[in-house]
Amino acid sequence: MFDNVILIRYGEVYLKGKNFSYFENILKDNIREKLNGIGCKLYFGRGRYVVKEYGESDELEIIRRLKQVFGLHSVSVARRCGYDLEEIVALAVEMTPDIGSFRVTAHRSYKKYPLDSLQINMKIGERILAAKPNLSVDLHSPQTTINIDIREGGDVYVYTDALTCAGGMPSGTAGKGLLLLSGGIDSPVAGYMMAKRGMELTALHFHSYPYTSQAAKEKACDLARILSDYCPSLKMHCVSLTKIQEAIHKYCKPNYMITLVRRAMMRIAQAVSKEHGCGCIINGESLGQVASQTLESITVTNAVVDMPVFRPLIGMDKDEIIAISEKIGTFKKSIEPYDDCCTVFLPEFPLIKPTMEKVEEQEHFIRDYDELIATAISEAEPIEL
Ligand code: ATP
Ligand code: MG
């Protein structure tokens, strides 16, 4: 009989004191939703959750999905048996390799079990050694730890490894943010980092069709689809910057292009945020990475909005960002060749240290600027993910 279970441990949520049940209820809902469609039973106990009664062929898929639920610390595949010591010994012996070092670590949440944890450790350790004489005991850094969980209600779980999950806080416990999602490496990682802290996301992608291709837009949508594995409620909208870029190109000095485009993006982002109940804007800027990400550039682009702008990558190096992007599965998609709207009418020498005064002066030259922004906002296109 297939008697495996998956033990789930939650992470930082346990620090929540009086608000614990609010966070825990959302976490439970997120787990239920994630495992939707897979035949299994979920048991939510104090401090630990268990997935039971699933098919053998679903085990890897359940683990894969649980690893994408923010708020979980780790999972272990365990074998289940009853309180009978001989049954526990049989499982423990079966799960210990024939050579190397080991230790037994018992936990009793059922305090009336006739043996205490130390006695269980010793008794089972002796029996394992008797069955597998090439093993040695190492209490400090064993190659294998046989964990034995004695639960209330007659269940005992035996397991060796814990697989690390995504950590963070449950999705939906930290408000909603508008993620500026390009087709690049950085912005999906920025979204992941905020989602990890429990924030729900709405993604906003700017394109400059027909200067940028339909494929470039599709690529951003594909990145959003990958992100939605971690952010179950992710929504997406696309906005065309074409008319605004053409106007900037026509009326302003070429080297102000990027700065002015980014100010337009931020104005549109603020309006879209307010329309969709987002309390902040999130982008993938990293200090000094490109001309538009110097302190001076960030100052003049940030100045057009009056809501928080979160830049979770601001202090990270590119290789650190890439490592996360590989881990979350967006990297391969991000490096597909694409044309971003920021590369349309790209000046040879973009401003590295723009000043507010000169930027505002250039912006004033753009005819019908407010109408252009308002039209772009009103034509925002919702995307089916
Ligand atoms: P990325 O790798 O995320 O594209 P980047 O290094 O290319 O970032 P920029 O092009 O200066 O940097 O963009 C900085 C941030 O502005 C991006 O991380 C993203 O949040 C936002 N952004 C840039 N282009 C777009 C776009 N086409 N649509 C939405 N947001 C964008
Ligand atoms: Mg980019």
Side-chain angles (χ1 to χ4, degrees):
M1 187 179 138
F2 184 67
D3 232 1
N4 282 13
V5 300
I6 297 169
L7 307 178
I8 305 176
R9 301 170 198 89
Y10 49 71
E12 204 182 307
V13 177
Y14 76 90
L15 293 173
K16 281 295 161 193
K18 281 190 195 138
N19 293 326
F20 176 72
S21 57
Y22 166 76
F23 286 87
E24 194 193 25
N25 286 334
I26 294 178
L27 179 59
K28 288 179 190 170
D29 282 347
N30 292 349
I31 295 172
R32 281 190 201 101
E33 191 182 326
K34 196 72 181 175
L35 297 185
N36 197 8
I38 297 182
C40 63
K41 286 232 168 81
L42 277 166
Y43 168 79
F44 295 110
R46 263 177 69 97
R48 207 173 273 183
Y49 308 149
V50 187
V51 190
K52 295 178 172 176
E53 295 175 42
Y54 54 86
E56 192 167 356
S57 58
D58 287 331
E59 189 166 87
L60 286 177
E61 177 61 13
I62 295 173
I63 293 170
R64 192 188 71 81
R65 292 194 196 182
L66 289 173
K67 281 179 156 184
Q68 295 174 335
V69 177
F70 289 125
L72 298 185
H73 174 270
S74 61
V75 295
S76 294
V77 175
R79 302 282 300 278
R80 198 203 69 85
C81 66
Y83 284 164
D84 178 43
L85 198 67
E86 289 308 311
E87 272 186 69
I88 305 174
V89 167
L91 272 188
V93 169
E94 194 185 319
M95 290 171 77
T96 317
D98 292 336
I99 49 168
S101 61
F102 81 104
R103 67 165 287 164
V104 178
T105 303
H107 315 266
R108 288 184 322 158
S109 52
Y110 176 57
K111 297 290 178 205
K112 290 186 190 141
Y113 194 74
L115 301 174
D116 67 21
S117 302
L118 210 61
Q119 290 169 320
I120 301 170
N121 293 346
M122 283 169 49
K123 276 213 179 318
I124 295 188
E126 279 166 14
R127 296 285 300 275
I128 291 173
L129 268 183
K132 300 189 169 178
N134 291 329
L135 282 172
S136 61
V137 174
D138 182 345
L139 297 183
H140 300 291
S141 51
Q143 286 166 312
T144 306
T145 298
I146 299 290
N147 295 280
I148 295 173
D149 251 10
I150 311 233
R151 300 294 179 94
E152 304 260 1
D155 284 335
V156 176
Y157 301 129
V158 185
Y159 63 93
T160 52
D161 302 310
L163 308 166
T164 308
C165 294
M169 298 297 285
S171 178
T173 59
K176 209 163 141 184
L178 187 81
L179 169 67
L180 298 189
L181 182 65
S182 69
I185 295 169
D186 305 329
S187 46
V189 174
Y192 174 88
M193 304 271 289
M194 296 310 295
K196 182 174 176 205
R197 295 306 300 166
M199 189 165 268
E200 283 187 87
L201 302 179
T202 292
L204 175 60
H205 176 69
F206 294 103
H207 64 83
S208 317
Y209 188 79
Y211 298 105
T212 57
S213 64
Q214 189 61 29
K217 183 171 145 192
E218 224 7 84
K219 179 186 174 192
C221 298
D222 286 343
L223 285 169
R225 287 185 191 104
I226 300 173
L227 270 186
S228 67
D229 281 343
Y230 306 93
C231 324
S233 58
L234 185 74
K235 307 269 183 314
M236 180 163 181
H237 302 272
C238 282
V239 164
S240 169
L241 280 181
T242 310
K243 293 250 157 56
I244 296 168
Q245 286 179 290
E246 284 173 344
I248 297 172
H249 184 60
K250 185 166 168 193
Y251 297 114
C252 308
K253 284 188 181 162
N255 55 340
Y256 281 80
M257 187 75 202
I258 290 181
T259 313
L260 295 174
V261 167
R262 298 198 66 79
R263 279 165 64 95
M265 281 182 171
M266 292 299 269
R267 288 192 171 100
I268 295 167
Q270 171 150 288
V272 174
S273 295
K274 291 190 173 161
E275 197 178 322
H276 295 282
C278 299
C280 67
I281 296 169
I282 301 156
N283 70 32
E285 288 171 336
S286 153
L287 190 63
Q289 193 189 78
V290 287
S292 62
Q293 295 172 26
T294 61
L295 177 58
E296 292 80 358
S297 293
I298 291 175
T299 304
V300 296
T301 52
N302 206 122
V304 300
V305 297
D306 56 16
M307 66 199 302
V309 179
F310 291 137
R311 301 175 176 83
L313 313 185
I314 197 71
M316 291 173 73
D317 293 350
K318 196 75 187 187
D319 53 359
E320 294 171 302
I321 300 169
I322 288 175
I324 299 176
S325 136
E326 282 175 330
K327 187 182 85 180
I328 66 175
T330 51
F331 185 68
K332 269 200 192 132
K333 185 50 81 181
S334 291
I335 58 171
E336 284 177 9
Y338 81 110
D339 35 357
D340 189 59
C341 64
C342 293
T343 62
V344 174
F345 306 125
L346 192 67
E348 205 176 340
F349 300 105
L351 286 181
I352 293 170
K353 297 188 174 188
T355 62
M356 199 72 79
E357 203 187 349
K358 292 202 168 134
V359 168
E360 284 174 350
E361 182 187 82
Q362 288 295 312
E363 213 165 60
H364 276 122
F365 295 144
I366 307 170
R367 205 173 293 164
D368 299 329
Y369 184 76
D370 293 344
E371 285 80 1
L372 287 170
I373 297 280
T375 306
I377 295 164
S378 70
E379 291 177 352
E381 172 200 1
I383 302 290
E384 198 69 51
L385 289 178

